[in-house]
Every structure is written in structure tokens, then in C-alpha cells.
């Protein structure tokens, strides 16, 4: 059952995992029986982280308000508690386990009991001890956180528990030795005030910005997946979760623990740790379904909104005076919450030797922003949301805005092209168009399209046809003059009578008409093919044949008649 | 002396291809004056035939047409080809059209023989009817009469 307690230490990320507890009222063996890492887990981790951040901011604000109220009574305790925190930090740093570890283990054990009712003994104890509904709420939260912490690690709580068990058993023993303080909230049947103190302190640690830082860091640490890193992360987560019930769950626990502190305030701070733890365990079992009802994002708001009223309600219920005391205690050990968480884990390991105390210490180291812890120091700057200081009253804004999907969506910038922007204007294609002055359309035709008239007038003879009547040249005179001139050699011609006689033979050849070559025959269509007359004319043989046929027929008929006549005459004779 | 009907009948007989009549009538022209008048009538008929063939709408044909005409006639009539000098024929045609002059070294017989051959070719190409031929002779006679005074 120490395994469960280790998961209890994992409750450090409870706040983050609370949304997933809904999905998985029962531990998720079905989800990842053999494979500790699944993408669905990662998504759940995202959601849980986001929610955790938001919740942490809200809680911080509420805590501040409370701390301001309880600053006065706490002052004395503050002086003492920082040493405890340092001690816790030292313890968590050191592999050696401390009583805080044991306390953490106790818490884890309690939460794990709540988570896994399979463990009969624990559940019985829890049922038997659950008294206050508020406490049960605490327990529920813690259990949910434990569950989520297990989910964050991406492993089955059982697996992680098993791993942690192996590693933490010796630590748990050490924690038993060292842990002077009683076990934590959930499992503290043994210790009385110490448990209450632890719880309160853890709550304060969660409230304290350091604790929130540890949350953030733990959340970031959950991502690593390999060997020890995983374990460390798991432990850190567990511590975170343990711190959450302490600090992150803050108001609830404060309100829830109020009854226990009530007893403390009355004088018995220890109140019955056993009773508290048992009651818490029982309440865990009872309230788990309540968390299951909660949704990832709405839960945060609900919790944030409801928790302060719960506190107020608790104050109203019982002892408002006592509320302040546990708050004061919470504030002081707020820085120590991680340490106490580790202590609780160790205490749980005491109870359950299986509990992963060693890892719990390591995780506590992670959570506690100790000076020597590099991881925490490194992780802090990573955290998008700076841990809310008590000075900072307002909660951190949601940026990037959260979505129910658990996926942070970054809005893409929208670029609008303004027509007046220098680059968005449409430039004229013609480069010179801008420089050239605009010309009116009316002038364009005249300037560029008007062709000058050709000087055709006064240039006769260029393409113009003139009738012969208008021709200024007297061609008749030329012709007459030419005709007269050609008669000049008449004398020479008149003496050439011999030449006339010589040309007679040659002239005869030009004057003789050529012999008739004959005309081409032109075939004329006499008629259409359908006309019988024309056909008969065109084909006379057909008519002859017809006539012959008719003649033969007639001759045959005649001969027959003659033969008949002869036959008759012969018969008469 | 003027052109007489004898002269016109002689020419008509020649242009109509009645070689026998033309030979008989030609033999009748014995006197030099009758021969000169008849040669004048042949020259007038030649000019008239040239004008009808190479002058169209008052425009005189070019040398190309003259050359082609001479070549063609010499081609179709081998006897004429022997007797007809193309250069003299082209020059006589050109002179008839008013484009040049007849060189002086050409004797009267050669000149008159060329005109008679070209006249027979032109009339033979025109293929005139008798009426047309009579009109042609009348105009030639008139033309000749103008220069016979």
C-alpha cells in the first residue's frame, strides 16, 4: 500500500489533475495497463497544468487575503517555521529522508487509500475516521490530486507506486526515524497535532509563492519521461500534489482543516490526527465522485469561486478564530509545504514501507525552490505565470487564453491591407504615365490621330483620271503633224514600183485565207430518256426487233388458223 | 493625177487575194504616173492599216508591239520571212507611226516591197469584209488624193 502512498506524494499535481479525476474515477489500469506513457495523458497534463496555474493564482490571492489577516498571530510562528522549511528543503535535497518525508508519505498513503479503495485496511480506516464533510473534501481533493499526479506521470498510479516503493522503502524507514512530526492529513492516524500542523503548513506552502513555483516546476518536470527523471518527476508531482492539498487546495484545506485546527485552536491542535486522517481518507473515498463531476476548466472556476466561501462557511460553522490559526500556520510553512509534503511522504513510507520516500525527497527538492536546487531555479523562469507573491493581490491573468480543450491557442496576427498603405496601392502599368500630364480625350484625336491632308490640289496627273476632252494637250494636232511627216519620202516610194511587183508573191501568202480546218462537233441532246419517240429514234434497232416479233406472232396465228380450217375441211370431206 | 478606180480596183484585187486579177490590173499600170499614183495609193492604204492596228484611242503602240507583229508575220509566212527584213519592217512601221524616220540607205524598191508585205499582213490579219475593205480603200484613196495633187 506504500505504492498508493507514493502516488499520494504525487498529489503535488493534484490541482492539475483534478480534471482528469473525472474521467477516471477509478484508477486507470484500463487506460494504460502496460504502457505508462500515452498521449492522452499528455493532454490531460496540459489541462491540469493550465488549471493548476489558474488555480494557483486564485489561491495565491485568497491566501494573501488570509495571510494579511493572520499576519499578526503568525509572526512568532514565522520565525520558527522558516527553519523548518530550510530543514525540509535540506531534507528533500538530501537523499536521506526526514520526518517530513514520512509525513508526505502519510499523506500519500491517505490519498492513495482514497484513490484506491482496493486497499481494504486503509479504506476501512478512512471510513471509520471520516467525520467532517469538510475534511472529506480535503481528502477528496488530495485523492484527486494524487490520482492526477499519477496521471501526470503518465503511468498507472500502481506502476508509479510500485516504482516508488522500490526506491523509497529505505527512505520511508528513514523518514519514520526522522519524522518527529505526525503523518499528514490523510494518513495520520498516528500523529495528532503534527499532522494538523503538517497539513496546515502544507496548505500554506501551497499558498506560498514558492510552493506555487514548485507546482509550476513540478508540472514542467512531469514531461521528462526517462528512468530516474520520470521518477523524479513523479516524486515532484507527488510532492506537488501533496503541496496542493496543503497549499494549492489552499482554501479548501484551510476550510477543511479548519475543523481539525478547530480542535487545535481549542487547545489540542493535534486534535486527533488519526481521526482527521481517517476522516480524510473516508472523505476521500466519499468525495472522489464529486471531483469526478468537476470539469477541467469549470472546476477551476468553481473551486476558485467556491473555496473562499467554503472557508467562510467553515468559519461560520465552527470556529472563525481557529481559522486564523491554521491559516497562520499555513502561511508560515507555506515555503515548507514542499518539505512537509516530502515529510508526509516519508511518513507514509513509514507506515507503508513500500512508499517511495526517496523519490519523494527528490521531488520535494524540486518543489522547494531551495538555493541549491538548480532545477527549481531553472524551472521557475519557464513558468509562464510568475508565482503570485503575497504582495500581488490580483491573480495572474490567463495568458495565453485557456480553452476548454486544454490546448493553448495562439491567435495569429491579422494583416489588413489598407489601400492607402504604400505597398497596397495599385500602380499604373505605364511608368511614365504618372509623370505625363493627363490629356483630354477631346484633344487626343486631334493630336495623335489627325492625319494632315495631302496636297493633292494643284498637282494634276497624280492618280487622277481625266477625260480626253479635258486633256489640255492637242493630240489631234500631233497626230496630223505625224501623219504629214510620214509622207515626206513619197518620191522614194513612188519609184519603187518594182518592189510592188516583187512583193506580190509574199503578199499572196498573207492575204490567202487559211483552208477550212472544220468545226468541232457539238453533240446535242435530242430528248430525255423517257420519251419513247426519242428513244425509238435514238435506237432504231429496237423498233425493228419489235416489228419482227409482232410479225412472227401474226404469222404464227395465221398459220394456225389456216391449219384449223384445213382440218375442218378434211373432216367434212 | 488622182487615184482612179483602176488604181482602187487593182488594190482591191490584191487585198482580196485575187492574185490573177491583181496581176492583170497591175500589168495595166504601165505609165510612170499611173505607177506613181498607184504606189501613192498603196502607201496611203499602208498608213491607214497601220493606224487601225497600232493606234488605239489616239495612242500609238510601243516598239514592243511593232517587233512582236513583225516577228509573228515573218513566222507564219515563210516566203515573207525571206523577203521581209525585220529591221526595215520595224523602221517602216515606226516611221508610219511617226516614231522615227526611214533611213536613206533603203532603196525605193525595198521600201515599197516592205510596205506591200506589211499591208498584206495587216489586211490579212484584219480579215476585212468587202464592205470594210471598200471603206478602207475609200479612205486610203482619199488619203492618197491628199498627197497627189
Amino acid at each position: 500500500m506504500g505504492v498508493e502512498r507514493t502516488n499520494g506524494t504525487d498529489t503535488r499535481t493534484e490541482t492539475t489533475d483534478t480534471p482528469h479525476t473525472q474521467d477516471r474515477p477509478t484508477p486507470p489500469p484500463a487506460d494504460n495497463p502496460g504502457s505508462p506513457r500515452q498521449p492522452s495523458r499528455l493532454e490531460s497534463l496540459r489541462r491540469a497544468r493550465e488549471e493548476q496555474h489558474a488555480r494557483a493564482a486564485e489561491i495565491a490571492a485568497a491566501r494573501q487575503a488570509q495571510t494579511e489577516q493572520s499576519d499578526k498571530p503568525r509572526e512568532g510562528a514565522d520565525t520558527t517555521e522558516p527553519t523548518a522549511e530550510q530543514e525540509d528543503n535540506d531534507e528533500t535535497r538530501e537523499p536521506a529522508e526526514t520526518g517530513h518525508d514520512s509525513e508526505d508519505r502519510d499523506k500519500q498513503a491517505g490519498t492513495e487509500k482514497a484513490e484506491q479503495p482496493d486497499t481494504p485496511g486503509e479504506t476501512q480506516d478512512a471510513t471509520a475516521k471520516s467525520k467532517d464533510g469538510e475534511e472529506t473534501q480535503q481528502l477528496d481533493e488530495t485523492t484527486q490530486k494524487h490520482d492526477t499526479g499519477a496521471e501526470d506521470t503518465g503511468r498507472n498510479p500502481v506502476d508509479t507506486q510500485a516504482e516508488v516503493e522500490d526506491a523509497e522503502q529505505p527512505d520511508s524507514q528513514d523518514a519514520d526515524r526522522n519524522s518527529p512530526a505526525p503523518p499528514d492529513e490523510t494518513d495520520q492516524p498516528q500523529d495528532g497535532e503534527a499532522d494538523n500542523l503538517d497539513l496546515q503548513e502544507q496548505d500554506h506552502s501551497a499558498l506560498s509563492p514558492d510552493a506555487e513555483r514548485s507546482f509550476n516546476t513540478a508540472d514542467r518536470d512531469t514531461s521528462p519521461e526517462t528512468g530516474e527523471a520520470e521518477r523524479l518527476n513523479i516524486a515532484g508531482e507527488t510532492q506537488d500534489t501533496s503541496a496542493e492539498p496543503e497549499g494549492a487546495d489552499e482554501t479548501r484545506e484551510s476550510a477543511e482543516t479548519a475543523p481539525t485546527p478547530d480542535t487545535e485552536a481549542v487547545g489540542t491542535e493535534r486534535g486527533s490526527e488519526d481521526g482527521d486522517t481517517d476522516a480524510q481518507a473516508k472523505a476521500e473515498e466519499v468525495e472522489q465522485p464529486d471531483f469526478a463531476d468537476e470539469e477541467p476548466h469549470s472546476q477551476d472556476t468553481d473551486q476558485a469561486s467556491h473555496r473562499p466561501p467554503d472557508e467562510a462557511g467553515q468559519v461560520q460553522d465552527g470556529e472563525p478564530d481557529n481559522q486564523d490559526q491554521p491559516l497562520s500556520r499555513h502561511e508560515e510553512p507555506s515555503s515548507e509545504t514542499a518539505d512537509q509534503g516530502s515529510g508526509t511522504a516519508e511518513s507514509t513510507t513509514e507506515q507503508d514501507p513500500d512508499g517511495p520516500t526517496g523519490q519523494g525527497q527528490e521531488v520535494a527538492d524540486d518543489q522547494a525552490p531551495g538555493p541549491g536546487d538548480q532545477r527549481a531555479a531553472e524551472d521557475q523562469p519557464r513558468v509562464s505565470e510568475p508565482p503570485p507573491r503575497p504582495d500581488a493581490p490580483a491573480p495572474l491573468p490567463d495568458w495565453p487564453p485557456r480553452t476548454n480543450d486544454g490546448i493553448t491557442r495562439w491567435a495569429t496576427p491579422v494583416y489588413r491591407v489598407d489601400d492607402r498603405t504604400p505597398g497596397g496601392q495599385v500602380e499604373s502599368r505605364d511608368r511614365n504615365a504618372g509623370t505625363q500630364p493627363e490629356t483630354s480625350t477631346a484633344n487626343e484625336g486631334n493630336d495623335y490621330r489627325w492625319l494632315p491632308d495631302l496636297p493633292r490640289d494643284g498637282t494634276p496627273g497624280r492618280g487622277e483620271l481625266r477625260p480626253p476632252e479635258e486633256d489640255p494637250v492637242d493630240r489631234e494636232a500631233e497626230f496630223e503633224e505625224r501623219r504629214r511627216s510620214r509622207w515626206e519620202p513619197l518620191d522614194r516610194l513612188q519609184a519603187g514600183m518594182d518592189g510592188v511587183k516583187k512583193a506580190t508573191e509574199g503578199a499572196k501568202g498573207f492575204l490567202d485565207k487559211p483552208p477550212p480546218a472544220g468545226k468541232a462537233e457539238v453533240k446535242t441532246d435530242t430528248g430525255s430518256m423517257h420519251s419513247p419517240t426519242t428513244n425509238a429514234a435514238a435506237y432504231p434497232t429496237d423498233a425493228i426487233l419489235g416489228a419482227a416479233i409482232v410479225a412472227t406472232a401474226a404469222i404464227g396465228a395465221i398459220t394456225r388458223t389456216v391449219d384449223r380450217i384445213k382440218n375442218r375441211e378434211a373432216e367434212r370431206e | 493625177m488622182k487615184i482612179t478606180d483602176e488604181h482602187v480596183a487593182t488594190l482591191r484585187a490584191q487585198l482580196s487575194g485575187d492574185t490573177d486579177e491583181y496581176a492583170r490590173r497591175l500589168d495595166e499600170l504601165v505609165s510612170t504616173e499611173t505607177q506613181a499614183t498607184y504606189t501613192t495609193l498603196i502607201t496611203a492604204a499602208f498608213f491607214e492599216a497601220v493606224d487601225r492596228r497600232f493606234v488605239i484611242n489616239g495612242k500609238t503602240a510601243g516598239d514592243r508591239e511593232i517587233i512582236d507583229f513583225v516577228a509573228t508575220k515573218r513566222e507564219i509566212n515563210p516566203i515573207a520571212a525571206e523577203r521581209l527584213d525585220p529591221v526595215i519592217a520595224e523602221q517602216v512601221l515606226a516611221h508610219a507611226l511617226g516614231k522615227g524616220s526611214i533611213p536613206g540607205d533603203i532603196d525605193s524598191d525595198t521600201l515599197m516591197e516592205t510596205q506591200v508585205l506589211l499591208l498584206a499582213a495587216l489586211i490579212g490579219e484584219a480579215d476585212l469584209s468587202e464592205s470594210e475593205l471598200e471603206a478602207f480603200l475609200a479612205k486610203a484613196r482619199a488619203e492618197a488624193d491628199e498627197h497627189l495633187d
Side-chain angles (χ1 to χ4, degrees):
Chain A
M1 300 309 290
V3 172
E4 295 176 350
R5 306 241 174 199
T6 56
N7 287 332
T9 58
D10 293 337
T11 56
R12 185 181 69 173
T13 57
E14 279 182 354
T15 54
T16 58
D17 294 338
T18 50
H20 283 288
T21 55
Q22 295 176 347
D23 297 338
R24 178 182 64 77
T26 58
D31 291 341
N32 50 2
S35 64
R37 301 165 187 171
Q38 288 182 350
S40 62
R41 297 289 183 187
L42 295 175
E43 292 178 354
S44 66
L45 288 173
R46 290 180 183 175
R47 294 179 182 175
R49 289 175 185 174
E50 292 176 354
E51 292 177 355
Q52 185 176 2
H53 289 297
R55 182 180 295 174
E58 293 175 354
I59 291 167
R63 295 281 176 173
Q64 287 178 352
Q66 292 178 354
T67 54
E68 290 175 355
Q69 293 178 355
S70 62
D71 284 340
K72 295 178 180 179
R74 288 176 186 172
E75 292 177 352
D78 292 340
T79 56
T80 58
E81 289 177 354
T83 57
E85 292 178 354
Q86 292 175 352
E87 290 176 356
D88 294 338
N89 292 331
D90 295 338
E91 290 175 355
T92 55
R93 293 172 188 170
E94 293 174 356
E97 295 177 349
T98 60
H100 295 287
D101 294 338
S102 63
E103 292 177 353
D104 294 337
R105 289 179 183 177
D106 293 339
K107 290 181 181 178
Q108 292 176 351
T111 54
E112 290 176 355
K113 287 178 181 178
E115 289 178 353
Q116 296 178 351
D118 294 339
T119 59
E122 292 179 353
T123 54
Q124 289 175 355
D125 294 340
T127 53
K129 293 177 182 178
S130 63
K131 295 177 181 177
D132 295 338
E134 295 176 351
E135 291 178 354
T136 56
Q137 290 178 352
Q138 286 183 348
L139 294 173
D140 293 336
E141 292 178 353
T142 55
T143 53
Q144 289 178 350
K145 293 175 181 177
H146 290 296
D147 295 340
T148 55
E151 291 176 354
D152 292 340
T153 55
R155 297 179 181 179
N156 286 332
V158 175
D159 296 338
T160 55
Q161 290 173 357
E163 293 177 354
V164 174
E165 284 178 357
D166 297 338
E168 291 182 354
Q169 284 179 353
D171 294 337
S172 64
Q173 292 175 354
D174 295 337
D176 292 337
R177 296 172 187 172
N178 294 329
S179 64
D184 264 346
E185 310 164 350
T186 58
D187 291 340
Q188 293 133 359
Q190 295 175 353
D191 295 338
E193 291 181 353
D195 294 340
N196 292 329
L197 291 172
D198 293 338
L199 291 171
Q200 293 174 352
E201 289 176 354
Q202 290 174 351
D203 293 340
H204 287 291
S205 64
L207 292 172
S208 66
D210 296 339
E212 291 178 353
R213 293 176 182 174
S214 64
F215 288 149
N216 295 330
T217 56
D219 294 337
R220 300 298 174 85
D221 293 339
T222 54
S223 61
E225 296 176 354
T226 58
E228 292 181 354
E230 290 179 351
R231 292 179 181 177
L232 292 172
N233 291 332
I234 294 164
E237 291 177 352
T238 56
Q239 288 179 351
D240 290 337
T241 54
S242 64
E244 279 186 356
E246 295 172 358
D249 283 348
E250 46 278 320
T251 56
R252 288 184 187 174
E253 289 180 352
S254 63
E256 292 173 354
T257 55
T260 57
D262 291 345
T263 57
E264 291 176 355
V266 169
T268 60
E269 290 179 350
R270 293 181 181 179
S272 55
E273 290 180 353
D274 295 340
D276 292 340
T277 55
D278 293 340
Q280 289 177 351
K282 186 176 179 181
E284 287 176 351
E285 295 176 352
V286 173
E287 291 180 352
Q288 283 179 348
D290 295 338
F291 285 101
D293 294 337
E294 293 178 354
E295 293 180 355
H297 200 58
S298 62
Q299 280 181 351
D300 295 338
T301 55
D302 294 339
Q303 291 175 354
S305 62
H306 292 294
R307 286 174 187 172
D310 292 341
E311 293 177 355
Q314 288 178 353
V315 171
Q316 291 175 354
D317 292 339
E319 303 81 6
D321 296 338
N322 292 334
Q323 269 188 339
D324 295 340
Q325 289 178 350
L327 289 173
S328 64
R329 290 179 182 177
H330 289 297
E331 289 176 355
E332 291 175 354
S334 61
S335 62
E336 297 175 354
T337 52
D339 297 340
Q340 289 178 353
S342 63
T344 55
E346 291 176 355
S347 64
T348 54
T349 55
E350 288 178 354
Q351 290 178 352
D352 294 336
D354 296 339
T357 57
Q359 293 179 349
Q361 289 178 351
E362 292 177 354
V363 172
D365 292 338
D366 294 338
Q367 291 178 347
D373 188 4
Q374 295 177 347
R375 294 180 62 186
E378 293 176 353
D379 293 337
Q380 286 178 352
R382 296 178 185 174
V383 175
S384 61
E385 296 178 357
R389 300 295 177 96
D391 296 339
L396 295 174
D398 290 337
W399 176 254
R402 293 178 299 173
T403 58
N404 291 329
D405 297 337
I407 298 169
T408 301
R409 297 181 185 280
W410 297 87
T412 57
V414 177
Y415 296 97
R416 292 180 181 177
V417 177
D418 188 1
D419 294 336
R420 293 181 179 177
T421 56
Q425 294 178 350
V426 178
E427 295 180 354
S428 59
R429 293 181 178 178
D430 186 4
R431 294 178 181 176
N432 295 327
T435 58
Q436 292 179 350
E438 293 181 355
T439 57
S440 61
T441 56
N443 293 330
E444 286 181 355
N446 293 330
D447 294 339
Y448 298 101
R449 296 180 181 176
W450 182 263
L451 296 176
D453 292 335
L454 296 175
R456 296 177 186 276
D457 295 338
T459 57
R462 300 183 66 177
E464 295 177 355
L465 295 176
R466 291 183 180 180
E469 299 83 18
E470 295 178 356
D471 189 359
V473 178
D474 187 2
R475 297 186 181 277
E476 293 294 333
E478 291 181 356
F479 182 72
E480 291 297 329
E481 185 178 359
R482 180 172 58 83
R483 291 177 66 179
R484 292 177 182 174
S485 64
R486 65 183 178 183
W487 285 96
E488 293 176 354
L490 181 58
D491 298 336
R492 292 171 58 189
L493 292 171
Q494 289 176 353
M497 188 60 187
D498 295 335
V500 173
K501 293 180 180 175
K502 294 178 183 177
T504 303
E505 293 296 327
K508 186 180 180 181
F510 289 112
L511 294 173
D512 293 340
K513 292 182 181 178
K519 294 181 179 178
E521 294 179 355
V522 178
K523 184 176 183 180
T524 58
D525 189 1
T526 56
S528 64
M529 297 294 290
H530 298 287
S531 61
T533 56
T534 56
N535 289 332
Y539 302 100
T541 55
D542 294 338
I544 294 169
L545 290 174
I549 293 168
V550 172
T552 54
I555 294 168
I558 293 169
T559 55
R560 288 178 185 173
T561 56
V562 172
D563 292 338
R564 288 177 184 174
I565 294 168
K566 289 179 179 179
N567 292 328
R568 289 177 185 176
E569 292 175 354
E571 290 176 355
R572 289 177 184 174
E573 291 174 353
Chain B
M1 156 180 183
K2 299 284 183 184
I3 303 230
T4 65
D5 293 338
E6 300 296 323
H7 293 126
V8 173
T10 305
L11 183 61
R12 177 180 303 111
Q14 182 184 6
L15 294 177
S16 62
D18 186 0
T19 309
D20 296 334
E21 179 67 20
Y22 171 71
R24 189 184 60 80
R25 290 185 177 269
L26 185 60
D27 292 335
E28 292 175 356
L29 301 172
V30 179
S31 69
T32 308
E33 186 179 1
T34 303
Q35 294 179 349
T37 303
Y38 181 74
T39 55
T40 304
L41 180 63
I42 293 172
T43 303
F46 173 76
F47 287 152
E48 183 64 25
V50 168
D51 291 340
R52 290 186 179 187
R53 171 69 175 81
F54 291 101
V55 176
I56 302 170
N57 296 326
K59 291 184 178 178
T60 304
D63 296 338
R64 185 181 184 87
E65 293 182 358
I66 295 169
I67 295 168
D68 290 340
F69 178 79
V70 173
T72 303
K73 297 304 177 183
R74 291 179 71 249
E75 182 176 355
I76 64 174
N77 189 355
I79 298 170
E82 293 177 355
R83 307 284 301 179
L84 184 62
D85 185 357
V87 175
I88 295 169
E90 292 172 357
Q91 290 177 353
V92 170
L93 289 172
H95 173 74
L97 293 173
K99 296 180 179 177
S101 61
I102 297 172
D105 57 352
I106 299 172
D107 60 328
S108 302
D109 294 339
T110 306
L111 183 59
M112 186 53 86
E113 183 181 5
T114 302
Q115 286 186 349
V116 171
L117 293 172
L118 291 173
L119 176 62
L122 290 170
I123 296 300
E125 180 182 35
D127 191 12
L128 297 174
S129 63
E130 292 182 357
S131 62
E132 291 175 351
L133 180 59
E134 291 297 328
F136 173 77
L137 291 173
K139 196 170 184 180
R141 182 175 183 176
E143 180 73 19
D145 289 338
E146 290 179 359
H147 294 281
L148 288 175
D149 295 333

